[in-house]
Each structure stands twice: as structure tokens, then as C-alpha cells.
Amino acid sequence: MASILSASNKSMRSDRNTYVGKRFVHVKNPYLDSMDEDILYHLDLGTKTHDLPAMFGDVKFVCVGGSPNRMKAFALFMQKELRLEDSGEDIQDICAGTDRYCMYKISPVLSPSHGMGIPSIFFMLHELIKLLHHAQCCDVTIIRIGTSGGIGITPGSIVITDTAIDSFFKPQVQQIVLDKIITRSTKLDKELAEELFNCSKEIPNFPALIGHIMCTYDFYEGQGRLDGALCNFSRAKKVDYLKRVYKAGVRNIEMESTVFAAMCRLCGLKAAVVCLTHLDRLECDQITLPHDVLVEYQQRLQLLISNFIKQRLGLHDQTSSLGSPVLPRR
């Protein structure tokens, strides 16, 4: 882990004066202060084994996504966009000691994976938020960048979420804690969503929109698919349900957003959900697009988030990896 410590302890002079609000990450657990050590087991990190403030204290942007490969690809993309690829250092998986998640750090940008579905992202967020807290990070923006099924929109569109809702069209997530049901709000930061949308307008021919996102517990029955191992509803009922989903303002469906929104809101993190769409669920259930098309869609998402981060860092004139100034580093 020594190499990770040295590689991660880098940031940029340009963000020192940009972030002055000191909006720290809060944990809502009185027992943490009395713990002699906090082991972030699924991230292969800990408060005694790692100098978390030195490793992560300069983090300003956390971009989480389901797939380890996609998050590594995003980290490599950010390395180029921030002009850090000439450092001679390969990016390293900070969580290499575990096979649960991956995590890469490119200066002020943290890029961890969260797996698939509510349970996986739920306990990853517990440890990620504690990590940001222990590292004394402040003014952090966290964005879930993922894939989804579109509702009534063209495949390849990017949906920036204004509200995350459950399968009953409610902006909430429910969890059983001990033997009680706890209901939490899933409201997201609307100003952040608008900022991302405005950023998308600056990219030529970029298919982006703002809309609700529906979060389900399942990829097949829970999303009204007819192609799973189980199906006890008709095609007509499926279509009727998806039309009602569209009428409610939903433009895409996935399986993580409500938990993400609720936890970030409770812990004082400005959060957004930005997902590309692989298909229109009103037209089909299965993804049939060629691999190269899906890769191009993923690059659209990376480009938007990269431009947003560079604008926040005062590098808004740097819109391409070619012919741009070298990013200052301290």
C-alpha cells in the first residue's frame, strides 16, 4: 500500500481557493467517535492502517458507478483530461486487497465502483462516506454515473435526475432496521442537476435531458421485463405500467438511485445521478446494440462529467485532451 500512499497524495493548486465553504461530510452515528479503530472492510482500508487524510483529504469529486471496468476507464479518461498522464505513474486500485469493489484516485477525483443493486451500493456507501469523513474531506460533490433503461426516449440519451422515486412513484426509500421500516427522502440537489444540464448544452449534439429516475430492486420482474426466468404478468400489463411510469415523469429505470440519494442527503453531500440509456423500454426488453455503440454511449457520459469537473476547477476552456494547458499540481 506504500505506493498508493505516495501516488494518492497529490492534488492541484487550482482547487485551493475555489472551495472555501468547508462543508464537511457528516456521519449520523454517535458510536463511531468511541471506536478505537474503524475498519472499512469492503474497501480494504482502515483508520489505523492508512493515513486517510493524507490519501484522500484533497478529494472534491466522487464519481461512483457499478462496474469496476467502467470506473477504471473513467479514471483513465480523467487522467488524460486533467493532463496527468505524463506523470509516469500507472493508476492503482486502492481496494486491490479486496474483490468487492475497486477505487481509483486521480488528484481531486475519486472513482470507486459500487456493484449492482441496492444492497451492494448500500454498504459501499456506508464505508465510502465514513472514508470521506475520516479523511476530513470538505465541499465534496458526489455523482452516480451509470447505465439504465430509458422510458420513451432515444437510446444513448443521458438522463440527469431531478428526483429519484421507488416502484410506487414515491420519492423515498424504505429499509428494515431491526424490526421496523425506516422511510427516508430521496430528494437530490436540483441546483447541481441544473448545473450538469447546462454543462451538457455546451457539448455539440449532446442528447441530454432532466427527468425522474425510478429505482427498483430487480432487473427483470421489478422492471416489468418479459424475458426473465419468472414472469406472471401479460405484455399488456407491462406496457400499461411503463406508460404510467412515463406519465409520472420518469425517463429511466435503474437499481441504485434511491439509496444513493437518501444516504448522500443525510450526510450532507451534494449529489447527482447521471445515467446513459441503452434502450427504450417501451420498445424492447433486451439490449441488442453492438459493443462499439455502447462504448460510444459510455464516452458521452464520461465527457459530460469531465467537462463539469473541469468547469468547477476553473479549467472550462479546456474542452479537449489535445492542445490544452498542463494542469498545475502542488
Side-chain angles (χ1 to χ4, degrees):
M1 191 60 73
S3 60
I4 294 177
L5 280 165
S6 61
S8 299
N9 195 21
K10 291 183 176 180
S11 65
M12 300 175 293
R13 289 192 300 266
S14 61
D15 70 345
R16 279 284 185 140
N17 297 322
T18 305
Y19 300 94
V20 295
K22 296 297 181 184
R23 179 170 41 84
F24 289 97
V25 180
H26 302 291
V27 291
K28 305 290 186 178
N29 183 354
Y31 297 101
L32 286 180
D33 289 338
S34 63
M35 293 172 58
D36 183 54
E37 178 182 14
D38 192 3
I39 299 172
L40 309 178
Y41 174 75
H42 300 93
L43 302 181
D44 192 35
L45 295 168
T47 54
K48 278 194 171 181
T49 55
H50 300 79
D51 187 346
L52 299 181
M55 292 174 68
F56 301 102
D58 64 336
V59 168
K60 298 298 181 185
F61 307 95
V62 181
C63 300
V64 303
S67 163
N69 287 338
R70 275 195 286 113
M71 298 323 294
K72 182 176 182 180
F74 175 74
L76 289 168
F77 183 77
M78 288 307 306
Q79 186 182 50
K80 292 179 180 179
E81 289 292 285
L82 298 182
R83 300 295 179 265
L84 298 176
E85 74 270 32
D86 60 350
S87 65
E89 297 174 346
D90 294 330
I91 65 170
Q92 301 181 52
D93 182 0
I94 300 172
C95 302
T98 175
D99 60 356
R100 298 296 182 185
Y101 304 104
C102 74
M103 182 185 293
Y104 301 94
K105 184 175 183 296
I106 306 299
S107 203
V109 182
L110 198 62
S111 177
S113 67
H114 59 59
M116 185 178 292
I118 284 178
S120 182
I121 193 175
F122 219 148
F123 62 80
M124 188 284 291
L125 282 173
H126 274 280
E127 296 185 13
L128 175 64
I129 290 170
K130 289 196 298 175
L131 166 62
L132 298 173
H133 172 73
H134 291 313
Q136 302 171 26
C137 297
C138 64
D139 302 314
V140 175
T141 298
I142 182 168
I143 304 173
R144 166 166 146 68
I145 52 176
T147 59
S148 64
I151 303 290
I153 59 177
T154 304
S157 299
I158 304 296
V159 181
I160 302 165
T161 300
D162 58 0
T163 303
I165 67 173
D166 63 14
S167 297
F168 298 102
F169 308 94
K170 296 181 179 180
Q172 65 180 33
V173 63
Q174 293 187 324
Q175 182 191 10
I176 299 174
V177 178
L178 302 182
D179 59 348
K180 292 181 172 55
I181 296 177
I182 304 297
T183 301
R184 290 168 173 157
S185 170
T186 57
K187 291 182 180 178
L188 288 159
D189 191 292
K190 293 188 181 299
E191 291 184 1
L192 179 57
E194 288 289 344
E195 185 178 356
L196 284 159
F197 183 58
N198 289 334
C199 188
S200 75
K201 295 178 181 178
E202 300 177 9
I203 305 173
N205 303 314
F206 195 85
L209 65 148
I210 292 180
H212 297 355
I213 194 168
M214 174 175 281
C215 180
T216 69
Y217 285 90
D218 168 48
F219 184 79
Y220 286 98
E221 291 180 290
Q223 296 186 11
R225 277 183 159 88
L226 302 173
D227 60 338
L230 302 174
C231 184
N232 61 0
F233 48 85
S234 67
R235 184 181 300 274
K237 287 187 176 180
K238 166 207 164 176
V239 172
D240 176 70
Y241 178 71
L242 292 180
K243 285 183 177 179
R244 286 188 287 121
V245 168
Y246 181 86
K247 188 175 181 181
V250 175
R251 294 299 176 264
N252 58 332
I253 305 177
E254 46 84 271
M255 297 181 291
E256 294 88 14
S257 58
T258 51
V259 166
F260 174 81
M263 289 198 67
C264 292
R265 175 181 171 84
L266 285 170
C267 296
L269 285 163
K270 286 187 174 294
V273 177
V274 184
C275 291
L276 66 90
T277 55
H278 280 160
L279 73 169
D280 181 357
R281 288 295 320 288
L282 289 172
E283 301 294 332
C284 58
D285 289 338
Q286 296 196 334
I287 300 169
T288 58
L289 293 172
H291 176 72
D292 59 333
V293 175
L294 296 177
V295 170
E296 191 274 326
Y297 287 175
Q298 188 64 42
Q299 290 171 344
R300 293 180 186 177
L301 187 56
Q302 293 176 349
L303 180 62
L304 172 59
I305 303 304
S306 168
N307 283 5
F308 165 77
I309 290 173
K310 288 187 293 185
Q311 283 191 5
R312 282 285 187 94
L313 293 174
L315 302 171
H316 53 276
D317 292 331
Q318 179 180 313
T319 57
S320 170
S321 297
L322 301 176
S324 298
V326 175
L327 186 71
R329 298 195 289 269
R330 74 163 179 254

